[in-house]
Each structure stands twice: as C-alpha cells, then as structure tokens.
Amino acid sequence: MEKYFDAKYIWESFPLLIPYIKVTFLVAGLSVLFGTLLGFILAVMKLGNSKIAQKIANGYTTALRCTPSIVLLFLVYYGIPKIAENFGLNLSDVDKIVFIVITFSLQFAAAMSEVIRSAYQSIDRGQFEAAVSVGLSNTQAYRRIIFPQAFVVSLPNFGNSLLELIKEGSLAYTIGLIDVMGKASLIIDGRFNAHAFETYLALSIIYWVISIVIEQFFLKLEKGFSKGKQVIKPT
Amino acid sequence: MSESLNYQFLVKTFFTALSGVPTALIITIVALLIALPLGFLLALTRINRISFLHRFAQVYVSFVRGTPVIVQIFIIYSSVPLVLTSIFKKFQIETNVYDINPIWYAFIVFSLNTTAILIEVFRSALSTVSKGQLEAAYSVGLTNVQAFRRIIIPQTLVVALPNICTATVNLIKATSLGYAMSLQEITLRAKVAANVGYNYVEAYIDIFLVYLILCSLVEFLFKLYEKRLRKYKAANA
C-alpha cells in the first residue's frame, strides 16, 4: 500500500499551479472593472430622489446578496444563451470566461453599490456646501472634495469585497475555467484522485498568500491616503 | 431546444428544491450551535491575549478567511477519510469510510468555517463594551460567570447581531456547495431533477427562488430578534 500522505506532492503542485494565478486575476480584474461601473450606477440610483429607482436598486442588492455564487454562475451560464436563442442568436461559441466575468460583475456590483453608498453618505453635507461656497462648480466640488474623501472611506470595504471576489471566483472551475482552482482539479484527475489532499493544501496556501498580500496592500494604501485626514476626536 | 421555459417543470422542481431546505437548515443550525460558543470563547482569548490560544486563533481566522470555502470543503473531504482509514486499520474496525453520510463532513467544514467568522464578529463586538461595565458588575458583587451572563453577553449580542445575521445568510448560501460532497441539499436535488430533460435554466431559477425566500426569512427573523434585544442597548452608545 502507498503512503497516505506524501508532502512531495505539495511541492510538485506549486510550479504547476502558479502560472494559472494570472487567469484568476484576469477574471477578478475584469469583474472589478465592470462591477464597479454597475455598482456606481446602482449607488446613484439608491441615493437619487426617484422612489422607483431606489426600489429597483435595493431589490437588486437584496436578491444578489441572497443568491449563492454557484447558483448565479449557472443561471448566467445556462440562462443567457437561452434568452439569446429567443432573439435568434447563437452563443455557443462564446468563451466561458465571458459568462464568468458577467456573473462576478453582477455580484461585485451589488457589494460595490453598498460600499459606494455608505462611503458617500459618510461625507458630511457641509463639505459640499463649503466647496460650493468658495465658488467651485458642482462638478468641481464632487471631483475635488467629495470623491477623494469618499474614496478613502471606501477603501477597507473595497478590499474586503475584492478578497471575497477572488475567493468566490474559485467556483468558476465548475463550468470548466482553468484558473488555479481548475488546474488543481485537473492535476488531481491526472493523479487518478490520489493525493487530492496534498494538491488542495498547495492550492489553499496559494489563496492564503494572495489574500494576505491584498490585505496588507490595502492596509498600507489606507494608511497612505488617510495621512492628511483630520478626525474629530471624541472628548 | 429553442422552446421557451418549461413552466410545468419549473413548478414541479420548485418543490423538489424546497425538499432540500431541511438539510441546509440542519447544517446551518448545527454549525451555529458549535460556532457561537466556540467563537465567543476564542474571541475572549484574542482580547485577553492568552498567549498560545490567541496566536492559534489569529492564524486560524486568517487561514479560513483567506481561502475559498470550496477549497476548505475539498481539504476536509479528502483528508478526513485518510485519517479515519488509518485509525480504523489500527483498531481493526470493519467500517467502510466511504459509507459515512456526507452530512458529517458538512458539519465539520461549516462549523470550522463559521467559528472563524464569528471570532472576528465577537472580537469587534466585545471591544465596544467598555471595561467599566465589567468592573461595575464586580463591584456590586457578581461573580465572573454572572457578570458575563447578565451584563457583558447581552450587550455584546446587541452589537454582534447584524453581523451574526450576515454570517448566517452566508452560511446558508455556502451550504449550496455541499453538492461537492454529494450532499442532498437544495442545489443537488434540483440539479438531479434537471439532468433528465436538460431543464437547467428552470432548475436554477427554482434554486434561486428558494434561496431568496430562505434568506429573506432569516433576515426578517433576525430583525425581529434585534428589536427584542434592543432594550439591552446602551443609551449613550
């Protein structure tokens, strides 16, 4: 009988897995880009005066928060081609990665809309009034005064959402994307399901390191940006 | 294949998906029952900086929060049978490891996972209760246990409740990954039903609806409980 646990397989897995981190990052990067745009629109809807727009944006956030990523992923993967069929489009040639990016953009947008909304609301109304009173136009006031402040407030939450996104992105292997997770299951298949534990250990270490790096990066960033920040200390 | 949605199937499978709800709920409840006290105790070790345990909790939280749940599931699912087989072999117990109900693995994975989340929740909640509260409790003659049970825990719970709610909803959502352990929960049941006629879109719409109802319900219950607990809230918080 073979040994049950063999650390050799952990070391062997690293060089095989590491090149595929860039696929994981590609998915995350594109989802962040589109998700932030959509999240911004949703946040504007939530903050606006239109009751209907508020209801839609809040409903969207609730629905997305209640849906497991895996369900959303399959809903998009099977649902969009089916809807497209009704319009006579054939989407069977579209790369999987498109559906994956759509899924995680939708999900990231829900998180981002809350991040942006709460960051905006944390900025005192007086800041805007002060900016306008010294003669800045509305656009200038937002661009120079409100957005920079809201940006700093949103950094920690943005970092958390990004970590969440990278972790949830691991589910893309279920529809056949070869990112670090997908590669790990290929490696395990190649070893005829033996030493799965060692491969997953290597994979978890990779994810762990990525998370720690991102976490530290955001802590540094936050520190850098809040240097000039003046906080009123409670007496 | 270009027909529209199969509504008959949609309705029928909705109840199939619904029949997976008890499994999801049992896992959630067991995980919470284990994780709530354990998370609270480990949060105390973090706050009081009990040397070894505090370090352990820190690394543990960092690992669980830094890795995807699906990877945690696979780690437990591939390592526990290895450990069990070697134990069984040693004591010559004639049990096949692969006959174990996957729900036991689910209990292990989700308890371990939720504990880590709750450590952080309780740690931040405990830090909002001022030290004076504990001192006041001692000064009127309460014992340590009494002080915690009557003064500290109710106040902590008020602050922690919204985060516990989020953790619970995330836990329910995460049980959808139980299909990776061939666990008979909502997602797997609906998927198996869909395999017959390739009605995947309908099946996933059903799963989506079931989760939407389930999570809204949980959020609603937490809101109710939060209202009841509000009397413990410090007035000048």
Side-chain angles (χ1 to χ4, degrees):
Chain A
M1 193 74 194
E2 251 191 295
K3 265 200 291 183
Y4 287 121
F5 180 81
D6 194 342
K8 182 183 94 199
Y9 287 94
I10 301 181
W11 298 117
E12 269 182 11
S13 302
F14 279 118
L16 296 173
L17 288 173
I18 285 171
Y20 291 88
I21 292 176
K22 67 173 186 290
V23 183
T24 300
F25 278 143
L26 177 70
V27 169
L30 288 174
S31 306
V32 165
L33 185 69
F34 296 122
T36 309
L37 284 175
L38 183 57
F40 187 75
I41 296 169
L42 286 167
V44 170
M45 281 163 76
K46 281 180 189 176
L47 294 164
N49 293 323
S50 160
K51 278 272 181 297
I52 302 166
Q54 277 176 16
K55 278 262 185 306
I56 293 173
N58 284 329
Y60 178 86
T61 313
T62 314
L64 268 279
R65 217 180 8 213
C66 288
T67 321
S69 318
I70 184 106
V71 176
L72 188 70
L73 183 62
F74 279 105
L75 214 49
V76 168
Y77 186 55
Y78 289 114
I80 289 184
K82 193 140 191 182
I83 294 171
E85 258 175 39
N86 292 341
F87 296 100
L89 291 166
N90 185 5
L91 295 185
S92 54
D93 294 336
V94 174
D95 203 324
K96 288 181 187 91
I97 205 164
V98 175
F99 295 109
I100 294 163
V101 168
I102 292 175
T103 306
F104 291 107
S105 302
L106 289 174
Q107 198 164 51
F108 196 67
M112 275 317 279
S113 72
E114 281 299 285
V115 171
I116 295 171
R117 183 186 62 86
S118 63
Y120 174 80
Q121 282 180 338
S122 74
I123 305 303
D124 192 25
R125 182 85 197 141
Q127 294 285 326
F128 177 74
E129 281 159 10
V132 177
S133 77
V134 292
L136 295 186
S137 73
N138 269 359
T139 326
Q140 281 176 325
Y142 272 107
R143 204 171 58 78
R144 297 201 195 158
I145 311 291
I146 306 291
F147 284 148
Q149 292 187 53
F151 176 71
V152 179
V153 175
S154 70
L155 267 181
N157 288 330
F158 179 79
N160 274 338
S161 308
L162 179 64
L163 279 183
E164 226 25 65
L165 172 68
I166 286 179
K167 279 159 50 184
E168 298 287 295
S170 66
L171 293 174
Y173 88 97
T174 51
I175 63 171
L177 179 78
I178 313 210
D179 60 346
V180 261
M181 182 76 196
K183 181 65 186 171
S185 44
L186 283 184
I187 293 174
I188 289 163
D189 285 346
R191 290 173 184 160
F192 305 105
N193 287 331
H195 304 289
F197 176 52
E198 290 90 328
T199 317
Y200 285 124
L201 266 186
L203 180 64
S204 66
I205 291 168
I206 290 176
Y207 271 110
W208 196 6
V209 170
I210 293 175
S211 302
I212 291 173
V213 168
I214 291 180
E215 214 174 353
Q216 291 304 317
F217 174 73
F218 271 90
L219 279 179
K220 288 260 150 57
L221 213 60
E222 210 187 320
K223 240 188 207 148
F225 273 113
S226 49
K227 214 184 287 169
K229 195 175 166 194
Q230 294 184 343
V231 180
I232 299 166
K233 293 204 175 68
T235 46
Chain B
M1 161 99 190
S2 60
E3 75 266 37
S4 63
L5 285 179
N6 183 345
Y7 289 103
Q8 211 184 345
F9 181 83
L10 191 76
V11 174
K12 209 179 88 201
T13 312
F14 181 74
F15 293 101
T16 314
L18 215 54
S19 71
V21 171
T23 315
L25 283 183
I26 289 171
I27 296 169
T28 308
I29 290 168
V30 169
L32 280 179
L33 283 181
I34 296 173
L36 279 171
L38 204 59
F40 188 77
L41 289 177
L42 285 171
L44 282 180
T45 69
R46 289 274 279 134
I47 287 204
N48 296 328
R49 302 198 163 263
I50 299 170
S51 59
F52 167 71
L53 275 174
H54 145 72
R55 277 271 159 235
F56 168 77
Q58 199 175 13
V59 174
Y60 176 61
V61 168
S62 155
F63 179 78
V64 172
R65 300 212 318 170
T67 51
V69 183
I70 187 87
V71 177
Q72 292 165 18
I73 287 176
F74 281 137
I75 286 181
I76 298 286
Y77 196 52
S78 58
S79 72
V80 172
L82 289 186
V83 176
L84 284 182
T85 339
S86 58
I87 292 175
F88 285 172
K89 221 170 215 171
K90 206 170 224 170
F91 296 100
Q92 306 200 316
I93 304 168
E94 290 294 321
T95 316
N96 193 349
V97 183
Y98 298 97
D99 290 343
I100 295 173
N101 191 335
I103 205 165
W104 290 100
Y105 294 115
F107 287 156
I108 300 174
V109 173
F110 292 115
S111 309
L112 289 176
N113 183 279
T114 315
T115 304
I117 310 293
L118 290 184
I119 290 175
E120 284 301 282
V121 169
F122 281 125
R123 194 169 70 98
S124 66
L126 274 167
S127 63
T128 64
V129 180
S130 81
K131 212 174 159 58
Q133 295 284 329
L134 195 60
E135 284 161 4
Y138 287 150
S139 75
V140 294
L142 293 186
T143 65
N144 214 342
V145 179
Q146 281 176 327
F148 265 95
R149 203 171 62 76
R150 299 198 195 159
I151 312 290
I152 307 295
I153 292 180
Q155 291 188 55
T156 313
L157 218 50
V158 181
V159 181
L161 212 57
N163 289 330
I164 295 177
C165 177
T166 312
T168 310
V169 169
N170 282 339
L171 180 57
I172 292 177
K173 279 162 59 179
T175 59
S176 68
L177 297 177
Y179 82 92
M181 303 185 274
S182 49
L183 193 69
Q184 290 286 330
E185 44 67 63
I186 304 166
T187 317
L188 189 65
R189 284 186 185 210
K191 249 168 133 166
V192 169
N195 278 339
V196 182
Y198 296 101
N199 297 314
Y200 290 111
V201 181
E202 290 90 342
Y204 280 103
I205 292 175
D206 282 331
I207 303 170
F208 167 74
L209 289 176
V210 170
Y211 275 108
L212 195 61
I213 296 168
L214 198 58
C215 294
S216 314
L217 215 60
V218 169
E219 276 185 3
F220 176 72
L221 289 177
F222 267 97
K223 283 254 162 63
L224 280 188
Y225 191 53
E226 210 179 321
K227 254 184 206 149
R228 271 191 52 193
L229 271 184
R230 198 159 289 159
K231 62 181 175 199
Y232 296 113
K233 198 165 186 166
N236 56 354

